[in-house]
Every structure is written in structure tokens, then in C-alpha cells.
Amino acid sequence: MEKLPLRVLACGDVEGRLETLFGRVRAIQSKSGRFDMLLCVGDFFSSTSDAEWAEYRSGAKKGRRGLFSGTSGLQIAYLSGTESQDEPTPAYSFSSKDVTELKSSLLSTLNFKGVDILLTSPWPRDVESFANSPGEIDTKKCGSTLISDLAASLKPRYHFAALEKAYYERLPYRNHTVLQETPQHVTRFIALAEVGNTSKKKYLYAFSIIPMSLMDPAELVKQPQDVTENPYRKLRKGTQKTKVLGCAEQEETACQFFFDLKKHQGKKRSSDGKDRGSTQTKQAKKPSQPTGPCWFCLASPEVEKHLVVSIGTHCYLALAKGGLLPDHVLILPIGHYQSVVDLSSEVMEEVTKYKSALKEFFRSKGKRYVLFERNYKSQHLQLQVIPVPLDYSSEDIKECFITQAQEQQIELLEIPEHSDITQVVHPGTPYFYVELDTGEKLFHRIRGSFPLQFGRAVLASGALLALPQRSDWRSCTASRPEEEAQASAFRRDFQPFDFA
């Protein structure tokens, strides 16, 4: 039997303007047909509401929180009012106790996967993290952390809020950790303006939805192309950390990753055999000390400083010795870090700046870059950045890497664009990683041996740059004067793009 979607209208702050609202709804239905329901969030009552609302205003009748389950199977969770620290909680307010009890009542349900819709008045705090900006609204100051916690736990497919007199449709975000948890549905957060506002900001949102309980599981968890990381990731990790049982403190790291470091390729479970989400929290790290001479620590006498082309606060750029091409460069941390996963947030931020600058630089020359890292038999992080003609699409490049990996029985997994590699592995894990300037990423967890020149060999192959004779850097070394000339030329050309 065909599952017909429900047609729903969601509305922002009504503020007592019932005639304006229902006049608009009637106009929409006359053009687009009937809708199954109208949902309202935010400030519904005006300051001069009719007597019929008196019992609700006084708190004699309450509708503070709960779950509405329709005959269609649609599930709508709701939390009324604004956050209050007072006890007892005033009418039209909610407290942490309300949130805890609403979460408990739903999460205790057998096989709970989430709700179809969540309705709250305030925005969730930090909802814009990893996503498009809501304009003038500062989500680090407005909204409620309790709402963020509620949304992180209930995993609604749609979350509506109001109160900020603004319309904001956030990019959808995922509710699972990539490559560590079973894929789940995404959440779409939509904030709506007030009814009849003079700025013509959107206050009605129309959408169709098939209840989650009726959907094919594979269809439900499909990820849209613009999906982002979960904005409440830190909250989720903190919550999950309190739930990890049976692990002594010193054993926690071994229990928190789906990639079992002791098992064969393809296993994605924790070491105790039970599926869990990652509880790792990224800590600010100081550079470790090299165990011997390091060719890449900038303060080291071993560094060939004539190849350096830009120096930032935490990172620097240098031409690759024996580069595949004259403009083959490396992004390197100034301090001693082994891999991207080890980097502190400050260093990572500057790595990102260098990637953005190199993207603009190479695009100005009709090229795009391919970046790869091999965290295997190397003690200092080296991000290899090699330009290829724009004629090669990102799909061409990914296909080339995947095809040649398969020939060598190397499994390359694609990581979604808005994820980052720290969600996949922890420090000390050997891996190979490819990133295109579009943000697309490929990843291989190294177990056993790995061809040291793999990334370079793929780019040098006939399918891409057709320079097979340059696949090994040792056969491409140049004299010191040649290297100095190449570095000088790159430094001059890159200067307009160099933020450092």
C-alpha cells in the first residue's frame, strides 16, 4: 500500500494575530490544497489574549512538555515556554527537570530511533556550528543549552523554533559519527519569524513528511549532499562518556572506537565487541619531542630552509624535495606533530588557512590541488599538496585513487565532506588520507604494510599526470641552485595569496 506523506505547515510567533495567520493559511490552501496540520512555535498569545486562554496563562491548565502521536504514526515531541532557573518553574517556562523527564520518557522506549518533529520556543544554543550563518543572530548568546541537549538526544527529523524574529533554515546535520556508528537520519532545524512581520521574513514553512515508523530504513538514513557535522557533537560526546561501562579509566581509549585496532580490516566495533559511539574529546595538544633528528621541525638544523616558501604562526609551507612537479608543496607544523589527528586546534586552524590559500592560488592558474597524508613510517606530519589541471573532475581523481587502491587490495573509504579525520582515528593510528580541494576525502586504515609511494604513484600514473618516471622522489632530486630558484619563483607567485 502506498504511503502518502502528510502535508504540514509550521508557523513562528503568532503573538495573538490569529486573523492574519488563518487568513494566510486559507490563501495557501486555496492555491495548494489542504494541509493535514498546522504547528505553531514561539510566542502564541498576545498581551491582551481573550479570557479563554486565562487558565493556560495562570498555569491552571498546562501543556508544558510531551509527545503527540498521531493516528498516522507521526510523532511530535514538544517543550513549551522559555528556560527558567526558578523553582517551582513558572507557567510557560521549563527547567532542566522538564528536559530530563521528557528525554527519559522517550529514550526508555524500546528501539527508540528519534522523533519526526520537535517543537520548542527557544533556539538551541550553538545550532549554527559547522553550518551556514543565521545572519545577525548570535547562536552562542541566544537560545538554550537545554534545548541543544534535548535535540541531541531526541534526534528529530525536523526541529522548529522561534522567538528571535528571524527566519533561519540550517543545513541538515547528521545524528551519527561517520564510520563509527550505524548511519541514522538527518535533522533539519528551521527557525521562523513572527506572523505578519513588516520585514517580510518567512513565518510559515510548508513540508511533506512520511512518519519515520512507516519508512524504509535505507530511505530514512539517506544523507543529503549538503549534510554537516552535528552542532551538538561536544554535548553528545559528554553524554556518551558517562554511559561507557565496564572500562577502567586507563582502558577507556581502547573502548571508544569502532575501528578495532587489533582486528582485521573491515571490523568497525569497539574492543569489547559492543557497538558504541566515540567518546573521544579533542584536547589541545603540545608538540611532542622528536626521538631523533627531524628533517621537518623548523628549528631543527636538519631542515633545508632554502625550500621554505611561507612561515605562519604555527605552520609553514615548503617545496617538496624531489617534488613530483615544481609547485609540489608541503604544509608542515612548525612544532613536532606526527599526524593531523595530533594537532591542537590552533595549529589545525592555520592548516585550514593554508589549504584555502593554496586552493585560490592553484585555481588562479587553472589547477586544483590533491592533498594526501601518510601517517606510516614517518615521524613528522607532512601534508603533500600537488596541483592537477582543472580538466580533471573530483570524481575522476577519486575514481583513479580507488581503482589503483583496489588493484593493490587497499580499501579506501569515502568520508563525508563536513566530517573530519579526528572522528575516524585516534592519535598513533597508522593511516593514509586523501583530500581534494572540494572537501571530498578518502581514508585507509593501515594494517600491516603499505606502499610508501602510493599517493604519489597514483598522481604520477597515466590516468592523471602521466609522469610515471617521477613516482619516486629519489629519482627527482635537483641541485641546490635549482631548488633555490624554484622556491624563489613559488614564493613570488604565491605572495598575493599568502595570509602569513
Side-chain angles (χ1 to χ4, degrees), residues 46-57:
S46 69
S47 57
T48 56
S49 298
D50 295 333
E52 64 187 285
W53 307 116
E55 289 182 294
Y56 289 97
R57 288 205 314 276

Side-chain angles (χ1 to χ4, degrees), residues 83-97:
E83 183 177 340
S84 173
Q85 305 298 323
D86 298 332
E87 289 294 342
T89 310
Y92 297 110
S93 295
F94 62 84
S95 66
S96 59
K97 180 181 178 183

Side-chain angles (χ1 to χ4, degrees), residues 391-456:
D391 296 345
Y392 293 105
S393 70
S394 57
E395 290 304 315
D396 293 334
I397 298 168
K398 286 193 296 182
E399 183 179 354
C400 188
F401 269 94
I402 291 169
T403 299
Q404 296 195 43
Q406 289 173 341
E407 290 174 358
Q408 300 186 52
Q409 296 184 317
I410 296 169
E411 182 184 21
L412 278 178
L413 303 172
E414 186 157 6
I415 303 175
E417 180 180 349
H418 295 282
S419 298
D420 84 51
I421 194 171
T422 60
Q423 297 171 252
V424 181
V425 290
H426 61 66
T429 304
Y431 63 84
F432 175 77
Y433 168 73
V434 182
E435 181 178 324
L436 309 186
D437 64 1
T438 55
E440 294 163 278
K441 307 173 184 75
L442 300 172
F443 167 83
H444 170 66
R445 160 73 169 93
I446 297 175
R447 290 175 168 82
S449 60
F450 183 81
L452 298 183
Q453 303 293 335
F454 175 72
R456 182 168 172 142

Side-chain angles (χ1 to χ4, degrees), residues 163-438:
L163 295 186
E164 300 300 330
K165 301 189 182 302
Y167 167 69
Y168 172 51
E169 184 170 359
R170 190 202 185 279
L171 291 172
Y173 63 82
R174 63 178 66 89
N175 284 295
H176 64 277
T177 304
V178 178
L179 300 181
Q180 296 178 31
E181 296 175 304
T182 303
Q184 298 181 49
H185 58 272
V186 302
T187 294
R188 289 172 166 83
F189 172 77
I190 297 106
L192 297 165
E194 74 277 22
V195 170
N197 67 85
T198 57
S199 303
K200 307 288 187 185
K201 294 175 183 175
K202 189 170 183 174
Y203 65 85
L204 274 175
Y205 185 92
F207 65 106
S208 297
I209 185 170
I210 296 174
M212 183 189 304
S213 58
L214 302 179
M215 288 188 68
D216 175 75
E219 189 68 25
L220 176 65
V221 302
K222 277 188 176 178
Q223 306 291 297
Q225 287 190 339
D226 57 352
V227 68
T228 78
E229 184 52 65
N230 192 305
Y232 321 120
R233 186 172 68 186
K234 291 181 181 178
L235 270 176
R236 291 179 70 234
K237 286 184 177 180
T239 303
Q240 288 169 345
K241 196 165 188 174
T242 65
K243 294 180 181 177
V244 175
L245 303 175
C247 298
E249 185 176 350
Q250 64 269 27
E251 296 172 335
E252 184 175 329
T253 299
C255 297
Q256 60 188 315
F257 288 92
F258 277 76
F259 282 97
D260 185 340
L261 306 183
K262 299 176 182 178
K263 301 292 183 182
H264 59 79
Q265 179 75 19
K267 286 285 185 183
K268 299 180 178 68
R269 291 182 176 270
S270 59
S271 57
D272 62 0
K274 297 179 181 178
D275 291 352
R276 294 198 174 94
S278 167
T279 61
Q280 185 191 31
T281 302
K282 178 88 167 172
Q283 301 291 329
K285 298 182 178 66
K286 294 182 179 179
S288 59
Q289 296 301 311
T291 55
C294 180
W295 292 92
F296 300 104
C297 287
L298 195 56
S300 169
E302 284 81 16
V303 170
E304 299 199 49
K305 292 185 172 62
H306 67 285
L307 293 173
V308 175
V309 293
S310 173
I311 301 177
T313 306
H314 304 287
C315 304
Y316 71 100
L317 280 188
L319 288 190
K321 191 170 185 66
L324 181 56
L325 297 168
D327 46 4
H328 173 177
V329 290
L330 309 177
I331 304 174
L332 305 123
I334 291 172
H336 189 77
Y337 294 91
Q338 182 172 328
S339 73
V340 162
V341 182
D342 292 286
L343 296 181
S344 66
S345 58
E346 295 84 2
V347 183
M348 192 64 229
E349 184 177 343
E350 194 160 280
V351 167
T352 302
K353 284 185 178 181
Y354 268 123
K355 288 195 290 188
S356 296
L358 287 169
K359 178 178 179 177
E360 288 187 41
F361 170 64
F362 287 127
R363 289 295 175 107
S364 73
K365 294 181 174 294
K367 302 175 182 178
R368 69 187 329 142
Y369 75 65
V370 179
L371 176 151
F372 66 85
E373 177 196 0
R374 187 195 75 234
N375 182 33
Y376 173 72
K377 295 191 176 180
S378 59
Q379 63 166 331
H380 191 111
L381 167 63
Q382 304 161 51
L383 295 177
Q384 309 271 342
V385 184
I386 299 173
V388 299
L390 268 174
D391 296 345
Y392 293 105
S393 70
S394 57
E395 290 304 315
D396 293 334
I397 298 168
K398 286 193 296 182
E399 183 179 354
C400 188
F401 269 94
I402 291 169
T403 299
Q404 296 195 43
Q406 289 173 341
E407 290 174 358
Q408 300 186 52
Q409 296 184 317
I410 296 169
E411 182 184 21
L412 278 178
L413 303 172
E414 186 157 6
I415 303 175
E417 180 180 349
H418 295 282
S419 298
D420 84 51
I421 194 171
T422 60
Q423 297 171 252
V424 181
V425 290
H426 61 66
T429 304
Y431 63 84
F432 175 77
Y433 168 73
V434 182
E435 181 178 324
L436 309 186
D437 64 1
T438 55

Side-chain angles (χ1 to χ4, degrees), residues 4-182:
L4 294 176
L6 296 166
R7 303 182 73 218
V8 182
L9 279 172
C11 176
D13 307 276
V14 178
E15 297 181 337
R17 302 186 185 97
L18 298 182
E19 278 305 311
T20 303
L21 170 60
F22 288 115
R24 180 65 180 143
V25 170
R26 283 192 294 268
I28 291 173
Q29 293 200 128
S30 67
K31 290 182 179 179
S32 305
R34 292 186 61 81
F35 281 77
D36 295 289
M37 62 180 67
L38 169 65
L39 307 172
C40 297
V41 290
D43 185 0
F44 188 83
F45 304 100
S46 69
S47 57
T48 56
S49 298
D50 295 333
E52 64 187 285
W53 307 116
E55 289 182 294
Y56 289 97
R57 288 205 314 276
S58 69
K61 292 182 179 179
K62 298 182 180 181
R64 183 171 288 168
R65 64 176 186 268
L67 178 72
F68 170 81
S69 297
T71 55
S72 63
L74 192 74
Q75 292 199 313
I76 304 174
Y78 59 90
L79 181 68
S80 299
T82 54
E83 183 177 340
S84 173
Q85 305 298 323
D86 298 332
E87 289 294 342
T89 310
Y92 297 110
S93 295
F94 62 84
S95 66
S96 59
K97 180 181 178 183
D98 290 304
V99 172
T100 299
E101 290 181 359
L102 179 57
K103 284 168 51 179
S104 298
S105 66
L106 294 176
L107 297 178
S108 61
T109 307
L110 186 65
N111 298 324
F112 177 79
K113 295 180 180 178
V115 296
D116 291 298
I117 299 170
L118 173 62
L119 305 178
T120 64
S121 286
W123 291 27
R125 183 71 60 89
D126 290 330
V127 68
E128 72 174 297
S129 298
F130 308 111
N132 50 315
S133 170
E136 297 178 358
I137 306 299
D138 185 353
T139 65
K140 296 188 182 302
K141 295 180 180 178
C142 83
S144 164
T145 53
L146 289 178
I147 298 292
S148 301
D149 178 38
L150 183 66
S153 298
L154 298 193
K155 295 178 281 193
R157 294 164 65 199
Y158 285 88
H159 179 183
F160 293 96
L163 295 186
E164 300 300 330
K165 301 189 182 302
Y167 167 69
Y168 172 51
E169 184 170 359
R170 190 202 185 279
L171 291 172
Y173 63 82
R174 63 178 66 89
N175 284 295
H176 64 277
T177 304
V178 178
L179 300 181
Q180 296 178 31
E181 296 175 304
T182 303

